[in-house]
């Protein structure tokens, strides 16, 4: 499917109609509208001209997905708003003339009629077309009400309703544009061209023409146009646009860098590693826009409710207009007028817009803070969380363990470390990496040692053949199984190291233990504060780890989690999350998006750390914290709870104001003025209420 951007899309009903029109175009097999992101996806052959014809009923403008937005004139200068000014002027003049000549005089009536035609022409066209198809939407209801008002001689009120409705639509457009601005501004972060060296020459190249492997030259004060790896130079980069981190990060040769980040100090040469459509920034924009198309549970409820609500309002209005005159001999003119007012007040604008504006605003705000929420459903679920499970390594801790102790039993330390490093060099586990790093730091030569038959023992360690002997490197549990029992003196040494919060690994054979290696992983600076904030929010926090009970307890106690689960294999984490969900109903799992993928998938909300540059995290998690920073988690929960609160307020208010206005029918107090103010006021208030989500801070 090819994606196009749609300018001027402010009403969800119009979006649905535009989608239907596009589907009917010759050569189009299917089309899907994304109202939140103002995009349409088209499967088939069509042109921008044809698409604009399909959207001509709302004067929609279409452009290619990556094409620069055409700047619209200021809000007060826009063509559709100029008609409102003319109509308003005509109404004021007519109102002045009616005080002089009387309401029923021809001159003010002509003035009101002209105001209705100028301000409501496009409205009537849409409404009459819908009426011919028996499609009852906002335009249909307004058309019936205004024409009905004119028929019973209420020209002044009919004209006023047209103007107020036009003002309401204009402000709705403005509010929707403002809500979308947070995502639109992301698209402008990265430059459209970059300085590239090719064949020894430096030239400015459009990002669409930059190839993988090109060398990009980034001067101080410039933004990076593409993702890549630094090949020359040292500098600090402000990555706030991607990760939400306000503190610049130092980048050296072989470090990964992202499009949209700002080079602050040095000159950098960067080897491009991704095409423009595959950069981390492009993926963020794409995923956020897709997220805005995801229907939240509350939105699905509202859409379903509105489907039955609008026809019900038409029936109620018809009954109000006919029953009193037919059964109680009441005045036809009075009750037809009340019925028309019910049609106006019954417009479901506020109800329909109550959820999508809040969702679009919240997801956009989160994206700008470095939190990628992949759908309205996940936004709502985060606010309902009762418990959060954290992976330990790389989540609560820095994930870069270092060797702290080496204890030998009869052998030479460097030789035993060399054997261990040679075996662990074939493993990707963080603990294995720490041993290899320790050997390299101490200049221990292990690369010449021949390792055969390397085999991983899931959750316990590894084994391999070195110098024709089978060696094991793993946890004390592995050696308890191998040796049946461990010497008391050795066991007390292991326990002492574990009590210090260290993970103990052992090198040995099936007969003897030769080396104890203690490894410690530093706790993240933000972990203690984040866990404390979550506990204050009433969320149950649990740490999951494959480490032994003592090490897990020491770190868990330091961090402040309310529960600790140790000695867990990957499948144990998965089973724990399933049980945790049964106990707490709504549970999040926070991990690195790779090793914890099954547990992330089993949780209500999977939260991945360090989404920037990690495709797996971006794809598997429901929420990705773009920086490797847990401090974004309390903000995300606060934002979600605020969004849920605002959605509930919007739905309640939009229904309550309608109900209140409908009750005014009983004493016959409901007027077209009150009806349009109730409808317009409700729509504006729920939209402005939703925009408060832009102000939620970390």
């Amino acid at each position: 499917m090819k994606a196009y951007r749609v300018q001027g899309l402010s009403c969800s009903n119009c979006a649905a109609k535009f989608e239907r029109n596009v589907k009917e175009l010759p050569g189009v097999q299917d089309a899907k509208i994304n109202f939140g992101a103002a995009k349409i996806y088209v499967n088939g052959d069509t042109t921008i001209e044809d698409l604009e014809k399909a959207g001509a009923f709302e004067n929609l403008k279409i452009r290619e997905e990556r094409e620069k937005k055409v700047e619209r004139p200021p809000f007060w200068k826009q063509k559709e708003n100029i008609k409102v000014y003319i109509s308003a002027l005509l109404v004021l003049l007519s109102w002045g003339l009616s005080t002089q000549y009387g309401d029923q005089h021809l001159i003010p009536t002509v003035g009101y009629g002209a105001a209705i035609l100028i301000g409501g022409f496009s409205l009537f066209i849409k409404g009459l077309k819908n009426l011919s198809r028996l499609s009852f939407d906002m335009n249909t209801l307004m058309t019936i009400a205004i024409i009905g008002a004119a028929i019973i001689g209420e020209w002044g009120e009919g004209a006023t309703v047209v103007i107020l409705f036009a003002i309401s639509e204009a402000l709705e457009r403005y509010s929707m544009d403002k809500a979308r601005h947070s995502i639109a501004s992301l698209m402008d972060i990265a430059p459209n061209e970059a300085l590239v060296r090719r064949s020894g020459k430096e030239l400015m190249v459009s990002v669409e023409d930059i190839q993988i492997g090109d060398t990009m030259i980034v001067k101080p004060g410039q933004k990076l146009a593409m993702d890549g790896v630094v090949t020359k130079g040292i500098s600090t980069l402000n990555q706030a646009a991607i990760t939400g981190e306000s503190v610049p990060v130092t980048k050296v040769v072989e470090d990964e860098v992202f499009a949209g980040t700002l080079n602050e100090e040095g000159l950098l040469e960067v080897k491009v590693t991704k095409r423009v459509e595959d950069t981390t920034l492009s993926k963020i924009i794409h995923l956020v826009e897709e997220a805005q198309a995801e229907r939240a549970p509350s939105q699905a409820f509202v859409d379903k409710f509105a489907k039955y609500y609008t026809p019900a309002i038409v029936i109620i209005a018809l009954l109000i207009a006919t029953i009193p005159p037919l059964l109680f001999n009441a005045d036809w003119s009075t009750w037809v007028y009340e019925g028309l007012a019910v049609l106006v007040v019954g417009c479901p604008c506020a109800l329909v817009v109550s959820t999508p504006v809040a969702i679009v605003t919240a997801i956009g705000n989160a994206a700008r803070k470095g939190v990628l929420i992949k759908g309205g459903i996940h936004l709502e679920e985060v606010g309902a969380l009762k418990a959060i499970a954290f992976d330990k390594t790389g989540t609560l801790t820095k994930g870069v363990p270092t060797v702290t102790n080496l204890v030998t039993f009869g052998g030479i330390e460097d030789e035993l470390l060399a054997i261990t490093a040679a075996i662990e060099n074939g493993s990707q586990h963080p603990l294995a990496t720490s041993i290899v790093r320790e050997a390299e730091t101490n200049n221990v030569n292990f690369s010449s040692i021949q390792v055969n038959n390397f085999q991983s023992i899931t959750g316990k360690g590894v084994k391999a053949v070195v110098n024709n002997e089978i060696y094991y490197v793993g946890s004390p549990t592995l050696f308890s199984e191998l040796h049946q029992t461990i010497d008391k003196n050795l066991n007390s040494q292991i326990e002492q190291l574990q009590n210090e919060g260290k993970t103990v690994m052992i090198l040995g054979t099936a007969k003897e233990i030769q080396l104890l290696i203690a490894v410690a992983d530093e706790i993240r600076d933000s972990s203690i504060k984040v866990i404390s904030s979550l506990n204050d929010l009433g969320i149950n926090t649990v740490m999951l780890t494959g480490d032994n009970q003592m090490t897990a307890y020491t770190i868990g106690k330091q961090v402040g989690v309310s529960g600790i689960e140790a000695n867990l294999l990957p499948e144990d984490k998965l089973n724990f999350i399933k049980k945790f969900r049964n106990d707490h109903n709504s549970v999040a799992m926070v991990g690195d998006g790779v090793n914890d993928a099954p547990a992330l998938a089993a949780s209500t909300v999977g939260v991945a750390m360090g989404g920037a540059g990690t495709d797996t995290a971006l794809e598997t998690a429901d929420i990705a914290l773009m920086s490797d920073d847990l401090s974004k988690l309390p903000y995300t929960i606060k934002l979600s709870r605020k969004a849920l609160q605002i959605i509930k307020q919007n739905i309640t208010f939009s229904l309550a104001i309608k109900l209140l206005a409908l009750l005014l029918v009983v004493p016959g107090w409901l007027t077209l003025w009150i009806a349009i103010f109730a409808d317009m006021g409700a729509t504006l208030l729920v939209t402005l209420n939703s925009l408060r989500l832009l102000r939620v801070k970390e």
Side-chain angles (χ1 to χ4, degrees):
M1 278 194 169
K2 188 172 180 184
Y4 298 89
R5 298 202 174 271
V6 186
Q7 202 164 313
L9 198 64
S10 59
C11 139
S12 53
N13 285 330
C14 306
K17 185 177 178 181
F18 177 52
E19 181 182 274
R20 286 195 300 272
N21 289 355
V22 172
K23 283 179 180 177
E24 290 168 9
L25 289 174
V28 173
Q29 283 86 50
D30 195 18
K32 186 181 177 186
I33 195 83
N34 179 337
F35 174 62
K39 285 172 76 174
I40 188 162
Y41 298 89
V42 180
N43 184 10
D45 295 323
T46 189
T47 63
I48 285 175
E49 289 74 21
D50 286 341
L51 291 172
E52 288 190 342
K53 281 178 189 173
F57 68 95
E58 196 68 10
N59 196 27
L60 301 179
K61 297 297 174 191
I62 315 296
R63 68 182 194 277
E64 297 279 353
E65 188 179 19
R66 294 196 61 83
E67 191 182 323
K68 271 291 222 185
K69 182 180 178 181
V70 179
E71 285 302 317
R72 295 185 80 188
F75 178 71
W76 60 276
K77 276 188 180 179
Q78 287 170 16
K79 191 170 73 174
E80 50 265 50
N81 296 339
I82 291 169
K83 293 188 291 185
V84 181
Y85 308 146
I86 296 168
S87 295
L89 186 62
L90 283 169
V91 167
L92 287 172
L93 286 170
S94 302
W95 179 74
L97 290 167
S98 68
T99 56
Q100 187 176 346
Y101 297 109
D103 282 342
Q104 304 305 316
H105 195 277
L106 182 63
I107 295 174
T109 302
V110 169
Y112 287 133
I116 288 172
L117 281 173
I118 292 167
F121 183 75
S122 57
L123 166 70
F124 297 143
I125 297 297
K126 293 179 221 170
L128 291 169
K129 279 183 181 174
N130 289 343
L131 198 56
S132 67
R133 301 189 194 108
L134 293 178
S135 170
F136 291 95
D137 68 358
M138 178 178 63
N139 296 305
T140 319
L141 300 184
M142 293 300 292
T143 301
I144 296 170
I146 293 161
I147 292 172
I151 290 169
I152 62 171
E154 296 291 345
W155 289 92
E157 290 206 27
T160 307
V161 166
V162 165
I163 290 164
L164 291 174
F165 180 69
I167 292 169
S168 172
E169 282 206 313
L171 290 172
E172 194 178 320
R173 277 195 305 274
Y174 174 76
S175 303
M176 203 66 210
D177 285 346
K178 192 169 175 61
R180 289 187 182 120
H181 178 69
S182 51
I183 299 306
S185 60
L186 278 178
M187 296 170 63
D188 298 329
I189 285 170
N192 289 320
E193 55 182 13
L195 185 63
V196 171
R197 185 185 296 121
R198 284 181 181 166
S199 306
K201 292 181 180 178
E202 294 181 5
L203 59 156
M204 292 299 291
V205 179
S206 169
V207 287
E208 278 80 10
D209 299 325
I210 296 176
Q211 303 296 319
I212 292 172
D214 277 345
T215 297
M216 186 170 62
I217 298 160
V218 190
K219 296 174 183 177
Q222 290 184 340
K223 285 185 176 180
L224 277 74
M226 307 287 282
D227 283 10
V229 174
V230 177
T231 55
K232 187 178 178 183
I234 299 173
S235 185
T236 55
L237 262 63
N238 186 328
Q239 301 191 140
I242 303 295
T243 65
E245 295 170 287
S246 56
V247 180
V249 180
T250 302
K251 296 289 182 179
V252 296
V253 173
E254 292 190 7
D255 278 352
E256 189 175 17
V257 290
F258 309 113
T261 56
L262 177 67
N263 181 20
E264 294 197 337
E265 292 175 357
L267 180 73
L268 290 178
E269 290 191 10
V270 176
K271 182 184 176 184
V272 175
T273 55
K274 292 176 183 175
R275 296 269 303 152
V276 65
E277 61 270 17
D278 298 322
T279 63
T280 301
L281 180 62
S282 293
K283 281 190 175 179
I284 292 169
I285 293 165
H286 174 72
L287 290 168
V288 171
E289 288 182 335
E290 291 305 300
Q292 292 177 335
E294 289 281 324
R295 288 184 180 272
S298 56
Q299 192 174 343
F301 159 75
V302 166
D303 290 347
K304 193 173 182 182
F305 182 82
K307 186 179 173 184
Y308 301 103
Y309 167 85
T310 309
I313 284 291
V314 174
I315 293 165
I316 290 168
L318 189 63
L319 293 174
I320 286 169
T322 56
I323 286 177
L326 289 173
L327 298 184
F328 304 106
N329 205 27
D331 179 51
W332 275 97
S333 179
T334 301
W335 287 99
V336 166
Y337 178 86
E338 288 294 322
L340 296 174
V342 167
L343 281 183
V344 173
V345 83
C347 284
C349 311
L351 186 64
V352 170
V353 86
S354 61
T355 304
V357 178
I359 298 289
V360 168
T361 307
I363 289 175
N365 184 5
R368 289 175 64 81
K369 300 281 196 309
V371 179
L372 183 59
I373 302 172
K374 290 171 64 178
I377 186 168
H378 307 308
L379 177 71
E380 288 197 12
E381 282 171 340
V382 168
L385 286 176
K386 299 289 188 294
I388 300 178
F390 293 87
D391 176 47
K392 177 181 78 74
T393 308
T395 303
L396 292 173
T397 62
K398 290 182 178 176
V400 188
T402 52
V403 174
T404 57
N405 304 78
L406 293 169
V407 183
T408 58
F409 297 93
I412 299 168
E413 185 178 288
D414 280 3
E415 287 180 5
L416 295 173
L417 179 60
I419 292 169
T420 314
I423 294 169
E424 291 286 31
N425 200 31
S427 171
Q428 296 299 312
H429 196 281
L431 295 178
T433 308
S434 69
I435 292 167
V436 172
R437 198 185 306 114
E438 178 70 10
E440 288 172 342
T441 304
N442 294 323
N443 296 317
V444 172
N445 181 21
F446 60 87
S447 55
S448 59
I449 296 174
Q450 188 74 33
V451 177
N452 298 310
N453 301 330
F454 176 89
Q455 190 179 332
S456 177
I457 305 165
T458 307
K460 295 172 185 174
V462 295
K463 71 175 182 176
V465 175
V466 177
N467 299 330
N468 297 319
E469 188 161 9
I470 299 173
Y471 281 90
Y472 294 84
V473 181
S475 64
T477 307
L478 172 63
F479 282 86
S480 295
E481 292 173 5
L482 285 171
H483 295 180
Q484 305 304 319
T485 182
I486 294 179
D487 177 72
K488 277 187 179 179
N489 180 41
L490 178 59
N491 216 32
S492 66
Q493 283 183 284
I494 291 170
E495 284 182 8
Q496 186 183 337
L497 290 166
Q498 287 176 342
N499 289 340
E500 293 169 11
K502 296 168 183 174
T503 301
V504 177
M505 297 172 70
I506 299 174
L507 168 74
T509 64
K511 295 177 183 175
E512 62 177 342
I513 288 171
Q514 297 174 323
L515 179 67
L516 282 189
I517 305 162
V519 177
D521 186 4
E522 268 188 274
I523 292 170
R524 285 180 185 274
D525 298 335
S526 60
S527 292
I528 296 169
K529 188 178 175 184
V530 166
I531 297 297
S532 174
S533 298
L534 294 173
N535 290 337
D536 291 343
L537 288 169
I539 291 172
N540 187 14
T541 53
V542 176
M543 183 182 81
L544 309 182
T545 179
D547 267 351
N548 65 80
Q549 191 70 44
M550 286 307 301
T551 303
Y553 178 77
T554 304
I555 291 174
K557 195 175 177 185
Q558 281 179 270
V559 171
V561 289
S562 41
I564 299 161
E565 296 290 327
N567 296 311
L568 298 180
L569 298 173
E571 61 265 31
D572 296 329
K573 286 185 183 179
L574 176 61
N575 293 331
F576 177 81
I577 289 294
K578 287 178 180 175
K579 179 180 175 296
F580 211 35
R581 276 194 75 168
N582 288 335
D583 296 342
H584 295 279
N585 192 31
S586 189
V587 171
M589 170 71 192
V590 185
D592 60 12
V594 183
N595 302 330
D596 304 307
L600 285 169
S603 59
T604 316
V605 181
V607 182
M609 294 280 289
T614 313
D615 289 345
T616 314
L618 286 174
E619 297 302 329
T620 60
D622 302 316
I623 293 174
L625 307 179
M626 301 306 290
S627 62
D628 226 12
D629 182 9
L630 271 180
S631 64
K632 305 285 182 186
L633 198 53
Y635 153 76
T636 308
I637 292 168
K638 189 165 72 171
L639 177 71
S640 174
R641 288 184 176 180
K642 188 74 175 173
L644 280 173
Q645 182 188 348
I646 280 175
I647 288 167
K648 285 173 185 171
Q649 286 171 358
N650 287 350
I651 293 170
T652 305
F653 178 75
S654 57
L655 288 175
I657 197 115
K658 307 261 182 225
L659 185 61
L660 186 64
L662 288 172
L663 289 175
L664 294 177
V665 171
V666 179
W669 294 346
L670 183 63
T671 67
L672 283 172
W673 288 64
I674 293 172
I676 192 65
F677 270 119
D679 177 62
M680 184 178 80
T683 304
L684 288 179
L685 282 171
V686 299
T687 305
L688 293 171
N689 194 33
S690 299
L691 291 177
R692 287 197 299 134
L693 288 165
L694 287 172
R695 294 164 58 194
V696 177
K697 292 183 170 60
E698 293 175 55

